[in-house]
Amino acid sequence: MAEAIVRTRFAPSPTGIMHIGNLRSALYEYLIARVAGGHFILRIEDTDRERLVEGAVEAIYKTLRTCGIHHDEGPDIGGPSAPYVQSERLPIYRRYANDLVKQGDAYPCFCSIERLASLHEEQSGDDFIGYDRHCREIDPAEAAARIEKGEQYVIRQKMPLLGETSFSDAVYGTITVDNKTLEDQVLIKSDGYPTYNFANVVDDHLMGITHVVRGSEYLSSTPKYNLLYETFGWEIPVYVHLPLIVGEDGRKLSKRHGATSFDELIEAGYLPEAIINMIAFLGWSPGNTTRENFTLEELESAFTISGISKAPAVFSYKKLDWMNEQYIKNMPEDTWIAMVKEKADTLFKDQPYDAAMLARVLKERTTRLSDIPDTIAFMVETPTYARDLFKLKRAKLNAEKAADILAALIPDMEALQSWDEASIHDLLEQTIATQNRKKGEIMGAVRLALSGRTVTPGGAIELAVILGRDVSLSHMKNALDFLNETDVTSE
RNA sequence: GGCCCGAUGGUCAAGCGGUCAAGACACCGCCCUUUCACGGCGGAAUCACGGGUUCGAUUCCCGUUCGGGUCACCA
């Protein structure tokens, strides 16, 4: 028999933000399908009506789209297993639940929330075995009558009391548990909606999901799902449980660790490509190479289930920084210039500037997009100076020399035919030769005059080009005035 | 607490009975250099512990410890 085509699904609940862990699940699910030439399905699990968040589904679409994780079937594009929204599939779950009740593998439970709550209190920690199966042996006829009368009820799965259940996971291997540790979990809630525990199994089967990929927090409830597959007589999928993503302190990644959602990461100035690359390597490695920079497209052929590790992975923002820098450095010129302009335009306003040169100097020095405004803020300010600013030890520059250099240089620069990199470069090199100066002296004096800063993105020539002739000359004159006005002899 | 899972430098990790235990991030030096970066070179740093199995264990088995997950009419 030929291998069935691989089908995976991303099944988020629309409860708000796209957490990094969710995104990684989506990514792995997508990759496992793509690598095998299979299909990736998007399914919305909105069975918890109290946690629904307005606009959450749109946010999910948007995130997947900007990451390049495209689904083959889903609520927005349809497909052979439609509908792909669980709230639109209620009759289906009901039918299967009823089947289970009929075969004696599930039963209606009339216990009140209050009773269940007191149950939990009594079983103070020690040997809590969950629901006490109070309604398990109610006579079916009686149960039917009570339902008929309109009594509230849920449907619970009847777990085997003896024996053990084991299943095989592609990452964690064979896992076996005693059936007596399994609770008679709720399949259908009293509001008629299915629980995740039931809906995921029914849908995964009906939608032909071959690889169930999800976080390892589902590992301990998987035996119960497995039992469901068995009682239905359905083929058991390949389980692929993913190690957790944790914060620096080893605990489940949460708010206090920093940005934890895709949106927050974007907001913080990271590129979608870098984020994807980063999370791809959180809990997975290619094994046969030491390469770490993979685009989504490359991952689509390189990804392997066997490369997934079992141990939880700490999310490192430092590594993300580095990853982001890599993507910025490798970005096509035009794309990068556009991104820089987006940040710079609002800052420069009417002041002209050379965006191409600005982008060039920023390319090797930008970690996060959001850092750009701060690093270039000085470019739209009129520099203020201090004599000490012009003291450069290595270049043997001091305020006095700087004054001489600027005084000699300004007329030449004013006379410059064309204000471009090559011309300015040539002029400065000439000056170095003519005045018999060190390169660092000339370059330093100019750079300091132009910026008023000891640290600048780009050197003298780049700054001059970015700022343009008028602003550059104006700053240099200001600097010269300052140097002349302050007391030289006191030095 | 019961059950389940995990454990290689600070972090991500390769390894899958015999290695001087890869690589990357971060860190520390040095070099390059018109500043800062970038880049290059080098450095420090790891098999949690105790028993087995074996000629030989990071690797296989069992404990211990530590960490995590899970015990809902949430997913």
Side-chain angles (χ1 to χ4, degrees):
Chain A
M1 194 178 120
E3 274 294 297
I5 187 159
V6 169
R7 285 170 67 82
T8 62
R9 108 268 107 139
F10 176 47
S13 57
T15 53
I17 59 161
M18 178 76 99
H19 186 91
I20 292 169
N22 285 135
L23 218 212
R24 190 194 54 173
S25 293
L27 175 64
Y28 285 19
E29 285 149 5
Y30 169 81
L31 292 175
I32 287 169
R34 281 287 171 277
V35 154
H39 299 306
F40 172 61
I41 290 114
L42 175 63
R43 180 174 76 222
I44 302 299
E45 309 218 325
D46 58 346
T47 56
D48 185 348
R49 296 171 310 152
E50 290 178 7
R51 295 206 309 165
L52 287 188
V53 171
E54 192 74 22
V57 177
E58 279 62 39
I60 291 166
Y61 291 145
K62 186 171 173 243
T63 301
L64 293 180
R65 202 181 316 123
T66 72
C67 289
I69 300 174
H70 303 297
H71 50 283
D72 303 299
E73 299 168 27
D76 51 341
I77 52 180
S81 304
Y84 292 92
V85 177
Q86 292 187 326
S87 60
E88 295 169 19
R89 302 168 62 82
L90 264 26
I92 299 174
Y93 310 120
R94 178 108 258 163
R95 195 173 76 235
Y96 282 103
N98 286 155
D99 286 352
L100 245 29
V101 172
K102 255 178 257 161
Q103 5 177 135
D105 289 315
Y107 59 93
C109 166
F110 303 94
C111 292
S112 65
I113 301 280
E114 293 71 35
R115 190 180 110 75
L116 296 176
S118 67
L119 216 54
H120 283 246
E121 277 175 42
E122 286 168 25
Q123 304 176 27
S124 58
D126 271 32
D127 45 19
F128 177 66
I129 42 90
Y131 177 57
D132 64 357
R133 297 174 166 143
H134 183 253
C135 298
R136 181 157 161 147
E137 302 306 334
I138 292 177
D139 181 75
E142 183 198 331
R146 290 173 71 172
I147 291 173
E148 192 65 29
K149 265 189 353 210
E151 211 173 315
Q152 287 275 302
Y153 69 101
V154 301
I155 292 179
R156 287 184 184 273
Q157 182 181 358
K158 198 182 277 183
M159 296 298 169
L161 270 14
L162 300 170
E164 48 188 31
T165 295
S166 57
F167 66 96
S168 170
D169 183 88
V171 174
Y172 291 92
T174 300
I175 292 172
T176 304
V177 299
D178 269 331
N179 286 335
K180 62 177 179 237
T181 66
L182 269 22
E183 185 181 16
D184 281 3
Q185 65 176 349
V186 173
L187 266 21
I188 302 285
K189 301 183 248 186
S190 59
D191 64 1
Y193 280 71
T195 58
Y196 165 85
N197 302 136
F198 189 51
N200 94 84
V201 171
V202 172
D203 284 345
D204 282 345
H205 170 257
L206 260 22
M207 295 180 181
I209 302 304
T210 60
H211 293 63
V212 170
V213 185
R214 51 157 80 115
S216 64
E217 65 266 31
Y218 290 98
L219 218 40
S220 54
S221 39
T222 298
K224 294 184 274 196
Y225 309 148
N226 213 56
L227 250 13
L228 241 18
Y229 279 98
E230 285 175 4
T231 62
F232 276 122
W234 293 340
E235 187 175 348
I236 290 164
V238 176
Y239 295 113
V240 183
H241 284 94
L242 276 18
L244 238 50
I245 297 177
V246 297
E248 311 275 358
D249 57 0
R251 294 184 184 283
K252 208 167 170 177
L253 197 62
S254 71
K255 288 284 188 299
R256 69 206 150 80
H257 295 112
T260 55
S261 73
F262 179 75
D263 287 346
E264 285 173 314
L265 253 22
I266 294 294
E267 184 69 21
Y270 296 103
L271 300 166
E273 294 85 349
I275 298 171
I276 288 294
N277 196 157
M278 176 70 195
I279 64 177
F281 275 73
L282 262 189
W284 174 80
S285 81
N288 54 358
T289 174
T290 57
R291 238 183 94 199
E292 287 192 284
N293 287 112
F294 280 77
T295 63
L296 182 63
E297 196 188 348
E298 290 168 325
L299 288 169
E300 285 173 26
S301 58
F303 196 80
T304 52
I305 291 177
S306 61
I308 299 173
S309 61
K310 301 181 178 74
V314 175
F315 186 87
S316 165
Y317 292 94
K318 280 278 175 58
K319 184 97 180 218
L320 214 212
D321 282 346
W322 172 79
M323 201 64 95
N324 210 47
E325 289 165 358
Q326 302 310 303
Y327 278 86
I328 287 173
K329 262 176 239 164
N330 294 323
M331 197 180 291
E333 242 20 83
D334 293 351
T335 314
W336 177 239
I337 291 175
M339 284 187 179
V340 170
K341 281 193 70 164
E342 207 183 305
K343 301 280 183 189
D345 278 352
T346 57
L347 205 77
F348 279 91
K349 298 195 179 80
D350 295 340
Q351 182 183 329
Y353 72 101
D354 190 311
M357 179 58 83
L358 180 61
R360 195 171 101 190
V361 300
L362 250 24
K363 205 166 188 195
E364 300 292 304
R365 309 164 218 256
T366 303
T367 299
R368 297 180 230 98
L369 263 26
S370 51
D371 294 338
I372 293 177
D374 280 350
T375 69
I376 66 174
F378 76 92
M379 293 179 181
V380 296
E381 291 162 4
T382 300
T384 53
Y385 307 98
R387 296 191 70 82
D388 276 356
L389 179 71
F390 291 87
K391 243 184 227 163
L392 290 184
K393 212 166 137 197
R394 199 165 79 197
K396 299 251 170 49
L397 181 72
N398 59 35
E400 208 170 324
K401 284 193 198 169
D404 290 345
I405 290 167
L406 290 174
L409 203 51
I410 289 171
D412 289 343
M413 289 193 83
E414 278 179 317
L416 211 50
Q417 291 281 304
S418 165
W419 193 268
D420 57 56
E421 188 182 7
S423 308
I424 298 169
H425 176 266
D426 289 349
L427 173 58
L428 293 178
E429 287 292 349
Q430 267 175 45
T431 309
I432 291 164
T434 314
Q435 300 193 5
N436 193 26
R437 299 265 190 198
K438 296 186 64 164
K439 194 172 191 175
E441 288 178 284
I442 302 286
M443 298 296 186
V446 174
R447 188 176 65 80
L448 264 8
L450 290 176
S451 65
R453 310 240 164 170
T454 52
V455 175
T456 56
I461 300 167
E462 286 90 351
L463 285 180
V465 172
I466 292 168
L467 296 175
R469 173 177 235 130
D470 293 348
V471 173
S472 296
L473 253 12
S474 153
H475 287 178
M476 287 171 73
K477 285 174 188 165
N478 285 343
L480 179 57
D481 287 347
F482 167 84
L483 291 168
N484 287 336
E485 282 163 17
T486 48
D487 186 15
V488 183
T489 56
S490 71
E491 282 194 28

